[in-house]
Every structure is written in structure tokens, then in C-alpha cells.
Amino acid sequence: MSRDMDRDEKALLLRDEGRPFAGIAEILALDSARAANAAFNRALRGRPNAEQALLRSREMARLDAVASRLRGRDDLSVEEIVRRLRGVKHQRKALLVG
């Protein structure tokens, strides 16, 4: 297994444990949370279809929970909440492509 594939697999395992993408990026020395999300999705697409469906379902539930918590925050500006919700929307879209 190449180093990049190994890192992608680790990203998938860490995310499935519930770690945030920013934390995964830090652990795996990736440039950004977006890079960690991309690694997670690459590893996901390499799994058998049934496993992909299960992993996607768990990830979608996590993203739904994040979006719900964001909507309930009163310590952030409306603009910041909208910006973060756009990020969640992007993650959902990336999750379903492929």
C-alpha cells in the first residue's frame, strides 16, 4: 500500500471514529480539513459497495448533527453560521459523488 493510500485509510478510520476533519488533518500532517475530507472520500470509494453505503450513512448522520448544532448556536454571527453550513453542504456533496 502506498503512503498516500495508507494516509487515506487512516483518514477514513479516524473520521469513522467521529474525529473532525481539522483534527484528522493535524494528526496526518495534511494541509487542511479539506485535504482530510478528500482523503476520507478517496478511501471510501475504494471500499466495497455495501461498506460504502454503511460508511456514507454514518457520515451523513454526523453531518446532519453538525448542521443541527450550528443552527442552534447563538455565539456565532448569522454570516458565520451560513459559511459553516456551506462547508457541511460541500461535504455532503463530496460524500455522494462517486
Side-chain angles (χ1 to χ4, degrees):
M1 184 179 290
S2 78
R3 185 168 176 255
D4 287 341
M5 286 177 64
D6 186 46
R7 193 178 335 188
D8 290 356
E9 287 297 316
K10 287 178 182 171
L12 185 136
L13 293 173
L14 289 167
R15 183 60 178 179
D16 199 45
E17 291 174 358
R19 302 251 186 168
F21 286 116
I24 294 168
E26 189 175 323
I27 291 167
L28 299 180
L30 296 168
D31 292 337
S32 65
R34 190 173 287 243
N37 180 262
F40 164 82
N41 280 298
R42 282 191 301 272
L44 174 72
R45 289 182 186 88
R47 298 295 174 100
N49 288 341
E51 188 177 355
Q52 282 186 40
L54 177 64
L55 289 165
R56 278 190 175 101
S57 175
R58 289 199 300 242
E59 180 63 10
M60 197 60 76
R62 269 192 293 281
L63 293 174
D64 288 346
V66 167
S68 181
R69 282 192 307 272
L70 275 170
R71 287 185 193 98
R73 289 191 59 180
D74 58 5
D75 62 322
L76 298 174
S77 68
V78 172
E79 293 80 10
E80 180 62 14
I81 291 171
V82 168
R83 186 188 71 76
R84 291 183 186 192
L85 285 172
R86 270 193 222 111
V88 171
K89 182 178 176 181
H90 173 78
Q91 289 176 12
R92 282 188 178 120
K93 186 175 178 180
L95 182 65
L96 297 174
V97 172

